[in-house]
Amino acid sequence: MRFQTKLMVFISLLVLVVTGLLGLSLRYMITSALYEEIGKRALTVANTLAVDAQVRDALEQTDTTQLRARINEAVKPVQASSGADFITIADRHLIRQWHVNPERIGQPMMDPLNTKVLQGQSFIAESTGSLGPSLRAKTAVYNEQGQAIGLVSVGFLMTDVAQNIRTYTYTWLWFMIGALMIGILGSLVIARRVRRELHRLEPVEIGRLYQEKQAILESIGEGIIAVNSSGQVTLANPQAVRLLGLPPETSLYGCELRHLAGAADQLADVLATDFIEKNPSMKPDQEQNVFNEEIEIQQRVVVVSRVPIKDRFGRMLGTVASLRDKTELLRMTRQLTEVKDYADVLRSQTHEYTNRLYLISGLIQLECYDEAVDFITQESEEYRVHRSVSSSLSPDSIIASLLISKKKQALEKGIVLHSYIKGAFSTPSPTLEWSLLAAIAGNLLDNAMEAVAIGSIPDGQVWFRLEEMTEAIIVEVADNGSGISEDIQEKLFVKGASTKAEAGHGYGLALVQEYTERMSGSIKVHERPGGGSIFEVYIPLNRTDTRSNNAKGGYVHE
């Protein structure tokens, strides 16, 4: 059954139940009120006749004919004006002296309440008499001495009462039918309006879309955050919470970004619905879209793209934005660049070794055997050095591959790269990640070669040392370049800090610090005697291991 049909049936049943209960309650109240009103009317008529002097004098007569004639004169006008169905008057012996049915006159009244009436009590009761079920009132007639000399009984037949009740009931049934028709029409209008607001989706479809949305938000790697027109967060996936520097279990629903500890006001400004008013340079046709806006949150450079949320009338309901960590983007870009550089190195080595084979072939054809042997010996020695590096790092030969590519780059730039590797590199460690260690070494080597190239050193040299000690692994990179300038020393590891004017630089050392902290290590930076700088990275092989001079995850300038 469709949602629209279910809603119509539910509302119609609700109207039917409510009107039915209200009708039953009203019928009960009307019945009670009618019984009470008719009983009071009967008692009023009875009291009127009981105090009538003519009735009282007639009951004191001893002549029965005269008694009944005088009572007849007194009762008939009252019965006609009151509308009572019957009036009965009896003497002190409970013998009927007047009755609507002449055949009953002279017969005794058998109701047990009559004795109590003569004792001074008045009653309103429903009982069955000679004329059928009726609602009657009874009271005594007293003489001037206060003695009961008879009683008056006034009644209304129940058939008349039931007829009045049925009249009210029929009226109420028509009201119920009218209310039900209005409820059905109203439910039809409401159901169509609700269906239009729900974009003609059924509840099952909405539930499935919600589950799919939750799964998508949790699966994507970007942070997604949405705010309403009041600036309150209505949606935030776990990645957004992480980029805001908040604990993973934090719920942002209903919060305002400006009130969150550590959340940058700049992000709240970008997500605000009145962002276009604060940026007059934006054109109206841009529809308040923001793409690749860089902001800083918790010392992270985050790339924000936002689009507005509008209803079908074009009114702003809020905004939704995606958050990407620029550090991660740069890391992936650098990894792709390193892979490309490594491929270029392999391609150039293939071309170079082809040329060397041609050279050896030519020397042999010219019978220059000594020169061919010397050339082969030189190449073998270089291969042995490279192989020793690879075997020393086995099975984690990523450093060896990195050194081979970096030596080729250094050679192309006219820089001599010295490498020193010592250790078995077989100690198991929960903190050591060779991919992060390779990224640290690659960034430090790139910075060192760039420092030598910028200084235009004629005999540029870079030294690389990788050594495994008892408790830690040391990565040291030194150069004889121009050193670290004073204006960059204090913000050496800050994202974006660089001596280069071009955009996109200043993130290498920030990544070095981040990866070092991830492996619970520390960094030392100091000047090299004779010029240049030395970067020393200390990676403990046990998380509980710390250096005496450095806090874990920190760095020191010397």
Side-chain angles (χ1 to χ4, degrees):
M1 187 183 295
R2 294 193 312 168
F3 173 70
Q4 182 176 352
T5 307
K6 290 180 179 179
L7 189 60
M8 289 178 57
V9 172
F10 175 77
I11 295 178
S12 300
L13 289 176
L14 181 62
V15 172
L16 183 61
V17 171
V18 171
T19 53
L21 292 176
L22 188 59
L24 292 176
S25 301
L26 187 60
R27 187 179 187 277
Y28 172 78
M29 291 187 293
I30 290 175
T31 302
S32 301
L34 281 174
Y35 272 79
E36 183 178 0
E37 191 271 334
I38 293 174
K40 288 181 179 180
R41 191 195 308 176
L43 184 59
T44 301
V45 174
N47 288 329
T48 302
L49 290 173
V51 298
D52 188 278
Q54 190 174 358
V55 174
R56 185 169 53 196
D57 293 341
L59 289 174
E60 289 182 335
Q61 294 291 327
T62 57
D63 185 359
T64 304
T65 304
Q66 188 178 2
L67 182 152
R68 293 173 180 172
R70 296 186 66 177
I71 289 178
N72 185 54
E73 293 177 1
V75 171
K76 279 192 173 181
V78 175
Q79 184 174 4
S81 63
S82 64
D85 291 315
F86 66 87
I87 297 176
T88 302
I89 299 177
D91 58 17
R92 68 186 65 187
H93 303 293
L94 298 178
I95 301 299
R96 296 186 181 95
Q97 299 299 329
W98 199 93
H99 195 276
V100 67
N101 185 1
E103 296 179 357
R104 299 289 182 179
I105 298 175
Q107 296 182 1
M109 298 179 67
M110 306 304 295
D111 193 339
L113 293 176
N114 294 334
T115 303
K116 295 182 179 181
V117 172
L118 293 178
Q119 293 175 356
Q121 300 182 25
S122 298
F123 291 96
I124 299 175
E126 181 182 348
S127 62
T128 302
S130 60
L131 298 178
S134 62
L135 184 64
R136 61 186 65 185
K138 295 184 178 184
T139 188
V141 180
Y142 299 94
N143 58 14
E144 293 180 356
Q145 288 76 29
Q147 297 175 346
I149 60 175
L151 65 81
V152 178
S153 177
V154 179
F156 292 86
L157 295 177
M158 294 301 298
T159 54
D160 297 335
V161 177
Q163 181 61 37
N164 291 332
I165 294 175
R166 281 195 295 270
T167 301
Y168 286 112
T169 302
Y170 291 151
T171 303
W172 181 251
L173 284 176
W174 282 112
F175 173 78
M176 285 181 59
I177 294 174
L180 183 61
M181 295 302 296
I182 294 174
I184 293 175
L185 293 177
S187 64
L188 179 61
V189 174
I190 294 174
R192 289 184 175 179
R193 177 65 181 270
V194 171
R195 183 173 174 81
R196 184 167 60 250
E197 294 293 334
L198 296 179
H199 301 283
R200 302 188 179 278
L201 295 175
E202 295 292 326
V204 176
E205 297 174 327
I206 295 175
R208 185 172 63 251
L209 288 176
Y210 174 78
Q211 294 175 343
E212 292 175 355
K213 184 203 72 172
Q214 291 297 111
I216 291 172
L217 290 177
E218 293 179 3
S219 63
I220 60 178
E222 296 182 358
I224 303 295
I225 187 168
V227 299
N228 57 19
S229 57
S230 301
Q232 296 177 332
V233 178
T234 58
L235 181 147
N237 65 348
Q239 288 76 10
V241 175
R242 178 182 63 83
L243 289 176
L244 291 175
L246 301 173
E249 65 277 4
T250 303
S251 176
L252 298 182
Y253 183 81
C255 299
E256 293 188 18
L257 291 177
R258 299 183 189 276
H259 298 163
L260 293 176
D265 290 341
Q266 192 176 359
L267 177 60
D269 291 336
V270 173
L271 291 177
T273 55
D274 58 349
F275 181 74
I276 192 170
E277 298 177 1
K278 300 178 181 179
N279 296 268
S281 60
M282 295 181 64
K283 299 179 181 179
D285 57 359
Q286 288 179 297
E287 295 185 349
Q288 299 181 345
N289 294 335
V290 177
F291 298 103
N292 300 327
E293 180 83 8
E294 292 188 8
I295 62 175
E296 184 175 349
I297 303 176
Q298 292 287 317
Q299 297 183 349
R300 290 176 178 267
V301 178
V302 178
V303 180
V304 180
S305 298
R306 79 150 217 188
V307 293
I309 306 174
K310 297 182 179 181
D311 60 12
R312 64 176 183 272
F313 302 108
R315 293 174 298 190
M316 288 283 293
L317 302 179
T319 56
V320 60
S322 64
L323 312 178
R324 291 172 293 169
D325 190 350
K326 189 172 182 178
T327 305
E328 296 295 328
L329 294 177
L330 292 174
R331 181 181 63 82
M332 290 187 290
T333 302
R334 183 175 292 275
Q335 289 179 348
L336 292 174
T337 303
E338 290 177 355
V339 171
K340 181 178 179 298
D341 292 343
Y342 187 62
D344 292 340
V345 169
L346 292 178
R347 190 179 298 108
S348 63
Q349 284 181 345
T350 301
H351 182 72
E352 181 178 352
Y353 278 106
T354 301
N355 292 334
R356 291 176 181 179
L357 289 176
Y358 284 130
L359 175 60
I360 294 172
S361 176
L363 291 174
I364 293 175
Q365 291 178 11
L366 295 175
E367 297 182 356
C368 299
Y369 302 117
D370 294 336
E371 289 81 354
V373 171
D374 292 341
F375 184 76
I376 294 173
T377 302
Q378 179 182 353
E379 292 296 318
S380 299
E381 179 63 21
E382 184 175 352
Y383 172 75
R384 186 188 63 79
V385 173
H386 289 169
R387 181 174 182 135
S388 65
V389 172
S390 300
S391 60
S392 65
L393 292 175
S394 180
D396 299 291
S397 58
I398 184 172
I399 299 292
S401 302
L402 175 69
L403 285 178
I404 293 174
S405 63
K406 294 304 178 185
K407 281 193 174 185
K408 182 62 179 178
Q409 292 179 12
L411 183 62
E412 293 175 353
K413 295 180 180 181
I415 300 173
V416 179
L417 174 57
H418 307 277
S419 61
Y420 173 77
I421 299 177
K422 180 180 180 182
F425 302 101
S426 59
T427 304
S429 171
T431 62
L432 182 62
E433 297 183 34
W434 282 98
S435 60
L436 299 183
L437 195 66
I440 291 173
N443 281 297
L444 292 179
L445 286 172
D446 287 341
N447 286 346
M449 288 188 287
E450 289 177 2
V452 172
I454 292 175
S456 301
I457 308 299
D459 55 343
Q461 298 185 68
V462 174
W463 293 267
F464 174 80
R465 178 170 72 95
L466 176 65
E467 182 175 357
E468 180 185 23
M469 303 196 316
T470 305
E471 298 176 343
I473 287 181
I474 304 296
V475 178
E476 184 180 87
V477 176
D479 64 79
N480 63 345
S482 56
I484 302 173
S485 59
E486 295 182 359
D487 59 341
I488 201 68
Q489 286 182 1
E490 296 300 325
K491 52 182 180 179
L492 190 62
F493 293 92
V494 177
K495 292 183 178 67
S498 175
T499 57
K500 303 178 183 65
E502 299 86 354
H505 294 281
Y507 294 92
L509 291 180
L511 287 175
V512 170
Q513 182 193 7
E514 179 182 344
Y515 296 157
T516 302
E517 291 176 349
R518 191 180 301 180
M519 293 187 290
S520 304
S522 59
I523 307 173
K524 288 182 64 176
V525 183
H526 51 85
E527 296 181 0
R528 175 182 173 275
S533 58
I534 300 176
F535 286 78
E536 182 183 357
V537 178
Y538 176 89
I539 307 297
L541 295 176
N542 190 327
R543 281 193 186 275
T544 59
D545 178 64
T546 55
R547 300 189 77 177
S548 59
N549 296 330
N550 297 296
K552 185 163 60 175
Y555 56 89
V556 177
H557 300 290
E558 296 183 356

